[in-house]
Amino acid sequence: HSSPIECRSKAVGRKSGELTRCAWDASLATMSETQFLDVPALGVGGSVVPGRHWRACEDGRVQCDVCPRECRLAEGQRGLCFVRARHGDQIVLTTWGRSSGFCVDPIEKKPLNHFLPGTPVLSFGTAGCNLSCAFCQNWDISKSREIDTLADRATPATIARAAEALGCQSVAFTYNDPVIFLEYAVDAARACRERGIKTVAVTAGYVKPAARRELFAEMDAANIDLKGFTERFYQKLCSGHLDPVLDTLRYLKHETQVWFEITTLLIPGENDSDDELHAASEWIVANLGVDVPWHFSAFHADFRMRETPSTPPETLRRARAIARGHGVRHVYTGNVHDRDGQSTFCHACGTRLIGRDWYVLDEWNLDHQGRCAKCHATCAGVFESKPGAWGSQRLPVRLADFA
């Protein structure tokens, strides 16, 4: 076996540049010569393309600088994300043009409640992830080490063409984190922009500054997964750190025009205490303002946390009340049926602006400028004069039909 991969950490409590072992089986990191030969040659027609954001190290390894893990790779090794690897003297992305599947979803499922409500979004992901969340709800995709998971092939041009033909106003990079397939996501976003299709990144925000600028320069909207609000939570359950995620949130708010919302999966006994919710609420209001929507979702037992109980609905309602008490204007509950917790209300007069029953919009009280029809207060978001009517449909799509 080749030497184990190491990740550089600059988190609070560690000296800058101190090396820590990645919390994973290093044997997964080694690609055999046969595997290399089985991968198409470098170039836009294949699935392996040169990566960006890397540098050579003095010890002969190559460091990937896409995310804060800073995986340092010897020849033939993959990073923790599995899809970024060293090939020769560079980092490559091994899944360009390949996906775990395409599906048309309601935009609210990302979740985005203030971005083109009611419209369909063409959604897809690849495989792998740069975090190791024990509670992952998409573990069959994000933890996949099987190339067979990537059954669908699609160039960026095909994705944009399919979205247009299907009547989708946006394309979402989701199911797993687009940070790890940065080059593919950026290329697809640019192709979508040429056809007037908007793009959405659903991400944990665990990304370094240069890669972050490149990714979000091509995005119209994002949902950032704020998994918890303690360093303990990120280290214990995600093998990551909190500060890079907070940096991404501040960056989106203060240095971009990207519309973004936040999601927190509440896990009983791990990140659902009153103290943590108060602290997170205070931070959001102080750093991001009162208009960033915040979604609290219910956990269900999965992956490595099958013994943990599901989140009670009352926990979601408690979290929503705490956040609203700190001034966050738009707080939502997810993965449970809660019409009030899923609807959008005017912050000024309390009118129900957008009524939601799961993903079905059953009430609309916004004018063409996104203002309350009753008091004319502006609701923050990206709205059209009329809502979409996609509803709760989920439509699997074969991209080969649009090639």
Side-chain angles (χ1 to χ4, degrees):
H1 295 291
S2 60
S3 60
I5 291 173
E6 292 177 327
C7 299
R8 300 180 69 84
S9 174
K10 298 178 181 177
V12 175
R14 288 190 174 92
K15 296 178 181 179
S16 177
E18 182 181 350
L19 294 178
T20 58
R21 300 286 184 184
C22 286
W24 68 308
D25 183 356
S27 66
L28 293 175
T30 303
M31 295 186 295
S32 69
E33 184 177 358
T34 301
Q35 289 174 304
F36 264 114
L37 293 174
D38 287 342
V39 175
L42 292 177
V44 294
S47 63
V48 178
V49 298
R52 297 186 282 272
H53 310 291
W54 56 268
R55 62 186 177 87
C57 301
E58 292 182 358
D59 62 4
R61 289 182 292 180
V62 176
Q63 177 174 304
C64 179
D65 284 325
V66 165
C67 92
R69 289 193 175 280
E70 298 180 340
C71 292
R72 305 180 74 180
L73 308 178
E75 177 63 30
Q77 287 186 316
R78 295 179 183 264
L80 180 139
C81 68
F82 187 70
V83 301
R84 306 188 75 81
R86 175 167 176 183
H87 179 49
D89 292 327
Q90 65 180 329
I91 297 295
V92 297
L93 171 65
T94 63
T95 54
W96 193 99
R98 302 186 68 168
S99 169
S100 55
F102 290 82
C103 191
V104 180
D105 289 325
I107 191 69
E108 286 79 9
K109 196 170 184 179
K110 300 305 101 186
L112 288 172
N113 280 0
H114 292 237
F115 183 78
L116 305 176
T119 62
V121 53
L122 179 61
S123 304
F124 78 97
T126 59
C129 188
N130 60 338
L131 290 174
S132 300
C133 299
F135 50 87
C136 185
Q137 310 284 280
N138 285 327
W139 62 271
D140 54 332
I141 294 173
S142 68
K143 306 306 176 190
S144 175
R145 296 293 185 265
E146 300 295 333
I147 294 300
D148 288 345
T149 300
L150 303 175
D152 285 1
R153 294 177 179 266
T155 65
T158 301
I159 293 170
R161 188 162 52 245
E164 185 177 53
L166 291 163
C168 295
Q169 292 177 245
S170 59
V171 167
F173 311 104
T174 181
Y175 306 144
N176 71 318
D177 203 308
V179 164
I180 67 169
F181 58 95
L182 171 73
E183 294 80 7
Y184 187 28
V186 166
D187 290 347
R190 289 171 177 165
C192 288
R193 183 163 293 176
E194 291 178 359
R195 290 180 176 263
I197 306 295
K198 298 186 183 300
T199 49
V200 176
V202 180
T203 170
Y206 205 62
V207 58
K208 293 189 70 176
R212 179 171 62 204
R213 286 193 297 272
E214 181 178 6
L215 176 66
F216 288 113
E218 307 299 335
M219 298 296 143
D220 297 286
N223 186 287
I224 305 300
D225 194 0
L226 179 61
K227 296 178 182 293
F229 202 69
T230 65
E231 178 68 4
R232 179 202 65 82
F233 181 91
Y234 268 87
Q235 288 193 19
K236 173 187 174 185
L237 296 180
C238 306
S239 297
H241 302 289
L242 172 61
D243 281 349
V245 182
L246 300 184
D247 287 344
T248 293
L249 288 168
R250 282 189 290 253
Y251 171 79
L252 287 171
K253 177 63 179 180
H254 300 291
E255 299 185 46
T256 79
Q257 297 299 311
V258 175
W259 174 259
F260 70 99
E261 305 183 18
I262 299 170
T263 295
T264 300
L265 183 76
L266 292 180
I267 304 174
E270 298 292 353
N271 63 352
D272 63 343
S273 71
D274 283 2
D275 287 347
E276 185 166 340
L277 293 167
H278 280 295
S281 300
E282 290 173 0
W283 186 92
I284 287 173
V285 170
N287 290 271
L288 310 178
V290 297
D291 284 323
V292 176
W294 193 3
H295 304 256
F296 290 112
S297 294
F299 164 85
H300 64 265
D302 215 334
F303 197 41
R304 295 187 178 126
M305 296 185 69
R306 297 184 184 274
E307 303 304 316
T308 302
S310 296
T311 310
E314 53 267 28
T315 296
L316 302 180
R317 290 191 284 268
R318 172 171 57 85
R320 181 170 181 257
I322 288 173
R324 295 180 74 189
H326 283 276
V328 183
R329 289 175 171 175
H330 304 290
V331 189
Y332 299 98
T333 57
N335 293 345
V336 296
H337 188 251
D338 178 3
R339 188 166 186 269
D340 280 351
Q342 291 160 354
S343 295
T344 300
F345 294 88
C346 177
H347 68 274
C349 72
T351 295
R352 192 188 302 267
L353 301 177
I354 307 173
R356 297 185 183 86
D357 187 358
W358 289 109
Y359 302 123
V360 176
L361 276 57
D362 57 13
E363 196 169 350
W364 184 265
N365 290 304
L366 287 169
D367 66 16
H368 67 286
Q369 294 181 306
R371 300 178 305 185
C372 174
K374 182 177 180 180
C375 75
H376 306 296
T378 298
C379 181
V382 178
F383 303 107
E384 296 182 322
S385 58
K386 295 181 180 180
W390 182 253
S392 60
Q393 301 176 72
R394 191 169 193 272
L395 177 66
V397 177
R398 288 183 67 255
L399 264 286
D401 296 338
F402 301 90

